[in-house]
Every structure is written in C-alpha cells, then in structure tokens.
Amino acid sequence: MTPFRIRKDAKEWFKDLREKEKAFAIDFDSFYFCFIAGIASRRKVTVPVDETAELVDYFPGAYKDRGKLLVSLMLSAELRDQGISMDDRKSVHTVIADLIRPNSPSLLSEAGVAKFNQYAHGGFEQLVEWFDDRPRYLETFLRHFKRNLDRTLDSVWGPVGPNPMLFGD
C-alpha cells in the first residue's frame, strides 16, 4: 500500500514538539496539522519523494477513528477545487472512485494518498507562513494555529467551512 509521507523539513520544524515537549508522540501528529492547514487553505504541493519521509499506510492511534472524517474533508476539498457540485452525481462518483478504496488501510487509492500528501505538503508551507518561527511549545503552537485556522477558513471557505458531509443532510 502507498504510505502517507511527511516532508523532511516539516519533521525538523516540529522537532521541539516531538522531542523536547513530547507533545507529539508520533510523526503523524505533525502530518495531521500540516494536512489540516492544507485543507483549510486549499493548498496542494507536490514534493519529490526524496524530500519526504515515509509514515504509515493507515490512520494510526487516535486518528484511526477519525480517518473517515479526514478522508471526507479531502474529498470535499477536491470536489470544490474541481468545481463539482454535489448535485452532479456522476462527477462526484468519478472523483470518489478515483480517490477511494474502501478495503485499503487508509481508505484511499494510490491517487487518493498522493492527493492527501499534497494537501499535507502544501499545509506545511501554509504553517511556515502563519508562524514567525518553528513551534517550541504546544500551548503557543495550538493558540496560534487555531487563530490562523479560523481566519483562513473564513476567508477561503466562507462562514460554513469545508463540508465533510458529502451526501447531504
């Protein structure tokens, strides 16, 4: 299976939260914040494999129960990015068929993992823009992250935000 991949510079950027603070138990914690920033800002970047580190091919630990939600956020962002309305069932199905594999540990196809990684890689660039320096303390990081996330969601997605409910009410 195709693994999630974190940028090597992102691993370095988050090192104090992982090593000194011990706030991030696994590298997927860093990847998660990058991904959320990428989804919020609708920012995708392709990074060469040699500039990334392999993570896992599934949603680990606390992310296991939230994997479907994270996948639906990515799908919602992709549909919006491609200008596909939820009323266009054929186009929605085509995108889902391309990006999703229900039997995969990550629920994603190879193309879906690649897209997920692109959002995380773009999100890291967004984080670097949001912060003057790399994070050293979890409390400071979370406050600054939340403030910038809210601001970005309002300006990029509007007051509703990305809709993880793909098929209506």
Side-chain angles (χ1 to χ4, degrees):
M1 299 306 317
T2 305
F4 295 112
R5 303 191 70 85
I6 188 168
R7 291 171 60 152
K8 290 178 181 175
D9 49 354
K11 280 184 73 160
E12 177 67 20
W13 197 75
F14 280 106
K15 76 178 182 181
D16 284 340
L17 297 183
R18 193 178 60 256
E19 295 170 9
K20 290 182 185 174
E21 284 271 298
K22 306 285 187 210
F24 287 3
I26 56 177
D27 284 330
F28 203 89
D29 293 327
S30 303
F31 180 83
Y32 167 80
F33 281 100
C34 291
F35 172 76
I36 293 298
I39 288 292
S41 61
R42 295 176 64 194
R43 191 168 183 172
K44 295 180 282 191
V45 172
T46 301
V47 176
V49 172
D50 64 335
E51 294 178 19
T52 66
E54 186 174 307
L55 293 174
V56 293
D57 65 353
Y58 59 94
F59 292 100
Y63 302 97
K64 181 178 182 177
D65 294 336
R66 291 167 181 79
K68 289 178 183 175
L69 176 61
L70 297 175
V71 168
S72 68
L73 286 171
M74 190 267 300
L75 282 173
S76 182
E78 274 305 293
L79 291 169
R80 182 171 177 174
D81 192 48
Q82 294 180 32
I84 297 173
S85 165
M86 296 308 283
D87 297 329
D88 184 353
R89 294 179 65 83
K90 183 178 181 197
S91 296
V92 169
H93 176 75
T94 299
V95 171
I96 290 173
D98 181 47
L99 299 176
I100 301 298
R101 292 294 174 274
N103 297 328
S104 159
S106 66
L107 306 174
L108 297 166
S109 67
E110 192 169 314
V113 172
K115 196 68 68 177
F116 208 93
N117 286 337
Q118 287 175 345
Y119 279 107
H121 301 330
F124 174 66
E125 292 182 1
Q126 187 65 57
L127 288 173
V128 169
E129 288 179 17
W130 285 350
F131 288 80
D132 295 331
D133 194 12
R134 63 187 178 83
R136 288 176 169 66
Y137 302 100
L138 183 62
E139 296 79 17
T140 306
F141 170 74
L142 291 176
R143 277 195 308 271
H144 199 74
F145 179 84
K146 172 78 165 78
R147 186 177 331 112
N148 282 288
L149 181 65
D150 288 345
R151 199 174 301 140
T152 300
L153 285 172
D154 285 345
S155 67
V156 174
W157 289 88
V160 176
N163 183 1
M165 301 307 295
L166 295 175
F167 298 107
D169 301 325

